[in-house]
């Protein structure tokens, strides 16, 4: 089906579907004429995204960014670094740090 029919079935405007496509929230399926075609799988994917947005109270742009952090290691690292800096994520412990902490505990217990 074409975008107008898919939008009607999903309860949104074709413009909102195009916005979701621009964000990367739609599977890349087009026919020979470069028109987007929607089948059951594409409708299910949009429905799943809508459910996640409702469930976690996020916007389509926020969901798209979350997907980007899962697929782009550079973005994931930058977000992780920010999380550590603002205290929302604990810094990963290195083996040397673990051994140092262990030695300090042993010294304190003497």
């Amino acid at each position: 089906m074409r975008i107008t029919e898919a939008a009607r079935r999903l309860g949104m405007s074709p413009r909102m579907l195009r916005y979701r496509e621009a964000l990367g929230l739609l599977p890349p399926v087009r026919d020979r004429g470069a028109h987007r075609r929607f089948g059951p799988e594409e409708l299910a994917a949009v429905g799943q995204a809508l459910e996640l947005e409702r469930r976690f109270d996020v916007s389509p742009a926020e969901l798209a960014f979350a997907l980007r952090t899962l697929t782009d290691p550079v973005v994931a690292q930058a977000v992780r670094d920010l999380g550590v800096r603002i205290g929302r994520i604990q810094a990963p412990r290195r083996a040397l740090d673990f051994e140092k902490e262990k030695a300090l505990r042993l010294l304190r217990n003497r």
Side-chain angles (χ1 to χ4, degrees):
M1 77 187 74
R2 306 269 309 242
I3 194 166
T4 305
E5 175 63 18
R8 188 184 62 71
R9 286 191 185 193
L10 291 164
M12 65 178 61
S13 68
R15 184 176 177 182
M16 178 54 82
L17 273 178
R18 287 186 190 95
Y19 172 65
R20 291 174 170 283
E21 179 180 24
L23 291 173
L25 292 176
L26 298 180
V29 178
R30 294 194 175 268
D31 64 14
R32 289 188 312 269
H35 292 284
R36 173 168 283 288
R37 297 306 255 177
F38 290 85
E41 287 298 313
E42 291 76 29
L43 293 177
V46 174
Q48 184 177 7
L50 289 169
E51 174 56 31
L52 287 171
E53 291 162 17
R54 276 188 228 110
R55 183 174 169 195
F56 297 108
D57 192 26
V58 296
S59 69
E62 290 168 318
L63 181 59
F65 186 73
L67 286 170
R68 188 172 169 201
T69 62
L70 292 173
T71 59
D72 186 332
V74 173
V75 174
Q77 185 61 52
V79 171
R80 193 174 300 109
D81 292 345
L82 174 63
V84 169
R85 174 165 281 164
I86 65 174
R88 300 248 340 240
I89 298 173
Q90 284 189 341
R93 294 175 57 175
R94 297 179 306 221
L96 185 58
D97 293 337
F98 177 77
E99 291 300 324
K100 178 181 171 185
E101 289 173 17
K102 183 176 155 185
L104 289 172
R105 272 195 314 272
L106 288 172
L107 289 171
R108 275 189 241 127
N109 291 335
R110 290 184 127 194

